[in-house]
Amino acid sequence: MIEILAVLSVSAAAGMRIALPLLVIGLIQTDLWQRVPLLDRVPPQIVIAVLTAWTLLELFVSKQLWGQRLLQVVELVFSPLVGAVMAMAVARILQIQPTQLTWIFGVVGGLVALVLQLVKVGWFYRLKGLPTWAVLLEDILCVLLVLFAFKAPNSGGLIALLLLWLAIRSSQSWYRWYKGGVGSKE
């Protein structure tokens, strides 16, 4: 059960940002790059350089409306992949057996990241841009979820489950808002 909560925690972090959680995981685990699918084929210096550059871009550009719009397209496409890769990396670090479970965790991690990213995109369009305080909170929560995945997986998993619950509640709210808006236009 602890492994599932750790996977949910890193997947939720991948649903918020792409490079930041990968960079934090890489800084926490010294031999991580040999365990991360896809990244294990690239030299660690290149991986760290690219992740650092993209993290800085995410952190600074996401505070502007045009930057949020630009990042949201890239994050929507790549968040399922990053969520799956991070979930599989955590499964490998925690030495989950058999290997089929690692793949299942990867699929679940990708789906969790995609759902949270879709909710973020929905709020962006409903609010016509995310406020700066929400983006800062998202950055902090992203780092905390990665740290919790390794240090306190119970807490990280519970936060991820709470985020998924909020995502479901948001989708219900949007549906009612959409139905109310469509009905009033006719």
Side-chain angles (χ1 to χ4, degrees), residues 40-104:
D40 59 353
R41 296 183 175 104
V42 181
Q45 298 84 359
I46 294 173
V47 171
I48 291 173
V50 169
L51 289 178
T52 302
W54 190 259
T55 298
L56 291 173
L57 182 76
E58 282 179 334
L59 290 176
F60 293 117
V61 173
S62 65
K63 308 312 182 258
Q64 306 295 324
L65 184 63
W66 63 270
Q68 289 177 9
R69 193 169 288 138
L70 174 75
L71 283 176
Q72 120 189 148
V73 172
V74 175
E75 289 175 347
L76 190 59
V77 171
F78 287 106
S79 67
L81 176 67
V82 173
V85 165
M86 289 181 61
M88 292 173 72
V90 168
R92 285 183 180 177
I93 290 168
L94 298 176
Q95 299 173 348
I96 294 173
Q97 297 296 331
T99 308
Q100 291 84 3
L101 276 179
T102 303
W103 285 100
I104 291 171

